Amino acid sequence: SKDELVAGLKRGVEAGVGAVLLVGGDVERSREALRLARDEDVREVGMKVVCCVGVHPAEALGWDGETEKELEEMVKDPLCAAIGECGLSYRDGTPPVEVQKWVFTRQAALAARHSLPLLLHQRGPSKHDLLSLLPPPSYPTSVIHCFTGRPEDLAHYLSLGLNVSFSGYLATSIKGLPLRHGMSKTNLKPYLTQLLVETDAPFMKPDLYTAAAAPDDYDNEEDAPTPTAAKRGSEPRHVVDVARCLAEVVGVECEEMNKVVG
């Protein structure tokens, strides 16, 4: 709800977070992301709030003749900062590959027309196809969202000039361990300016550091998340934990990482 969003943004401001990107996954959620980015209560929080609009590969079958027209109108708003979350997901239960490819190419073309970055979703054995469909001129502004893959894939993305973003997954004690271990064996310092952090809220709640507080850690009961939000948990303030974890893995001071990722 908007009230939960505003409360979470306020906690983010207190933690030092300066900006949030609200992400669309289909036309309806994109409209909602833009509406919230424009909302007066949201804007009064004191944090920069922008959005991205697009169709997630899991929603590719919903693309129709009106989808591109609606997205084309939304991207004209100055609060629309990117196209996404879009890309390819080759997993069981996802739409046919050719449908996903078509929907992704339409969104890549939309981003190119409006000089907007792409927020990219890549899961399963789809990396080769994603790179083959992604126009090379867009590499410097495109972001591989919520990276959870192999160190060699990370190195490849970075060598191409793509930006790679890490979510709370990196800072989860058990699931994130293989990723942290692999990254620690890779020299990532030359690519600091291409490494980004995110939360993927409300998913991927980090649990390595104390900032990932339980509901009963809040000073005021009204500030605590609802039971549903507490169960899923991730919110803007947790990006501080992700940045701290990324700094440790890369081998730089947290202050240096914070300067780079903003």
Side-chain angles (χ1 to χ4, degrees):
S1 71
K2 188 183 85 170
D3 289 344
E4 288 179 337
L5 173 64
V6 169
L9 292 177
K10 288 179 178 178
R11 290 189 289 270
V13 169
E14 292 171 0
V17 179
V20 162
L21 177 71
L22 304 178
V23 180
D26 55 28
V27 170
E28 184 176 347
R29 281 180 286 167
S30 295
R31 281 198 215 103
E32 179 67 1
L34 184 55
R35 185 189 70 78
L36 287 169
R38 291 169 171 165
D39 187 272
E40 187 124 348
D41 293 333
V42 171
R43 305 203 67 74
E44 286 180 353
V45 168
M47 179 188 292
K48 180 180 180 180
V49 180
V50 294
C51 73
C52 67
V53 301
V55 175
H56 189 284
E59 307 295 337
L61 288 173
W63 187 279
D64 60 27
E66 295 301 312
T67 302
E68 191 164 346
K69 293 178 184 177
E70 293 201 52
L71 293 177
E72 190 91 47
E73 284 302 309
M74 283 187 256
V75 300
K76 294 175 183 177
D77 193 296
L79 292 176
C80 179
I83 303 296
E85 174 183 349
C86 61
L88 301 174
S89 181
Y90 294 178
R91 287 181 165 176
D92 291 344
T94 55
V97 167
E98 293 308 314
V99 174
Q100 291 191 47
K101 287 181 177 180
W102 166 251
V103 171
F104 175 59
T105 57
R106 299 313 303 159
Q107 293 180 89
L110 177 64
R113 287 197 300 276
H114 293 272
S115 301
L116 287 172
L118 285 161
L119 184 65
L120 299 169
H121 176 101
Q122 187 271 312
R123 292 289 184 267
S126 63
K127 177 186 149 194
H128 175 77
D129 285 350
L130 182 76
L131 292 176
S132 70
L133 295 172
L134 186 64
S138 71
Y139 286 7
T141 58
S142 294
V143 178
I144 302 294
H145 146 77
C146 190
F147 183 84
T148 60
R150 303 176 302 171
E152 54 265 40
D153 290 333
L154 172 60
H156 188 201
Y157 284 138
L158 294 172
S159 70
L160 292 173
L162 288 155
N163 304 284
V164 179
S165 183
F166 299 90
S167 70
Y169 182 94
L170 180 68
T172 52
S173 55
I174 297 175
K175 286 186 177 181
L177 183 59
L179 179 58
R180 293 195 300 275
H181 178 74
M183 289 174 62
S184 68
K185 303 296 183 183
T186 306
N187 181 17
L188 296 174
K189 290 181 182 177
Y191 302 106
L192 277 183
T193 59
Q194 293 169 244
L195 304 178
L196 306 176
V197 292
E198 60 173 293
T199 59
D200 199 24
F203 310 104
M204 309 284 186
K205 181 179 180 179
D207 61 10
L208 283 181
Y209 309 112
T210 55
D216 56 4
D217 290 330
Y218 289 93
D219 292 332
N220 302 304
E221 184 177 347
E222 62 267 22
D223 289 337
T226 62
T228 299
K231 184 177 180 181
R232 298 165 91 177
S234 181
E235 58 180 66
R237 68 196 177 97
H238 294 134
V239 79
V240 176
D241 292 344
V242 183
R244 176 181 173 184
C245 184
L246 182 59
E248 291 177 0
V249 169
V250 174
V252 298
E253 293 296 324
C254 198
E255 290 76 13
E256 182 180 355
M257 182 62 68
N258 287 341
K259 289 178 183 176
V260 173
V261 302

